Amino acid sequence: PGLTRFNKDYPNVKLRLANLNSPQAMEAVKNGVADFAVVTLHEKTDTIYRIRTIRDFRESLYCQKGYMDGYKGDIFSRPYISINRSSYTYKFYQDYLLSCGLYKEPDIEVATADQVLPLVKAGMGIGFISEFLAEDALKAGLIEEILLPEPPKNRSICLVVDKKRSLSLAASELIKYMLQHN
């Protein structure tokens, strides 16, 4: 919403958006390739960054509607869809599974979180999906939540800037919009 509003108010400002995982996005900020990044975090990170939380969110384990019907085995013996190993999300879920006494390598790895949902909807396996990405498919009856005894901790969508670098007027204004309208 903030990006849409900014674009309407400032239609002549040129934007370059990149779809990177959190470590790549933070590296782009650190190297000056990006003015700022919007990333998913679950723990403190390098102190060179100024971090502002945009929103907290919850993720749950989902499958295609009916995918687990009648299945009596271990949930994680089914194909597991995960974000790739270079992401913070991968580490977060590996740590979560280990805390539950489980070890599971992904059967399918994707580059970004928005790629998990289409694979789950297609019945290719189970995967962790954020509540806001899963909402429409859940309401439409295309997917269902797999209840876990101990759900994962909530995480945060954060805006990250390099403390040492000054932002352009346009980048500063866009950040204001994103914090006000999201």
Side-chain angles (χ1 to χ4, degrees):
L3 183 60
T4 302
R5 182 84 178 251
F6 178 85
N7 192 39
K8 285 181 183 172
D9 290 350
Y10 300 98
N12 295 323
V13 172
K14 294 180 193 248
L15 301 171
R16 276 182 275 166
L17 304 176
N19 192 2
L20 306 170
N21 66 33
S22 294
Q24 293 168 333
M26 292 178 77
E27 191 67 21
V29 170
K30 183 178 181 178
N31 294 333
V33 175
D35 292 317
F36 63 88
V38 177
V39 298
T40 303
L41 295 177
H42 60 277
E43 60 188 35
K44 292 198 185 285
T45 187
D46 196 324
T47 56
I48 69 160
Y49 303 107
R50 187 172 55 242
I51 298 171
R52 301 263 318 259
T53 298
I54 294 175
R55 126 181 224 188
D56 292 326
F57 67 98
R58 185 176 76 85
E59 289 173 306
S60 296
L61 187 63
Y62 290 95
C63 65
Q64 180 187 52
K65 183 81 170 174
Y67 183 78
M68 299 297 284
D69 288 356
Y71 186 75
K72 303 282 189 226
D74 172 27
I75 293 168
F76 284 97
S77 65
R78 302 303 298 250
Y80 172 50
I81 303 162
S82 172
I83 297 178
N84 70 39
R85 296 165 199 269
S86 68
S87 71
Y88 293 145
T89 298
Y90 178 86
K91 181 180 178 345
F92 176 80
Y93 279 108
Q94 286 303 102
D95 291 348
Y96 166 73
L97 292 173
L98 287 173
S99 77
C100 295
L102 300 168
Y103 178 78
K104 175 67 176 173
E105 288 286 323
D107 297 287
I108 300 172
E109 290 183 44
V110 297
T112 59
D114 59 332
Q115 295 173 320
V116 176
L117 178 60
L119 298 175
V120 167
K121 284 185 349 187
M124 294 180 66
I126 61 174
F128 288 98
I129 304 170
S130 65
E131 59 193 3
F132 55 89
L133 288 177
E135 185 177 21
D136 290 342
L138 197 56
K139 284 180 184 173
L142 300 173
I143 63 172
E144 59 189 348
E145 184 176 354
I146 299 171
L147 298 177
L148 299 169
E150 177 76 26
K153 289 188 270 181
N154 286 355
R155 298 196 299 150
S156 301
I157 297 173
C158 299
L159 190 122
V160 177
V161 296
D162 186 333
K163 286 182 184 176
K164 296 180 259 171
R165 189 169 290 114
S166 296
L167 293 172
S168 69
L169 182 59
S172 295
E173 190 68 12
L174 177 53
I175 287 172
K176 270 198 264 182
Y177 272 68
M178 292 182 73
L179 292 172
Q180 287 173 352
H181 300 288
N182 286 319

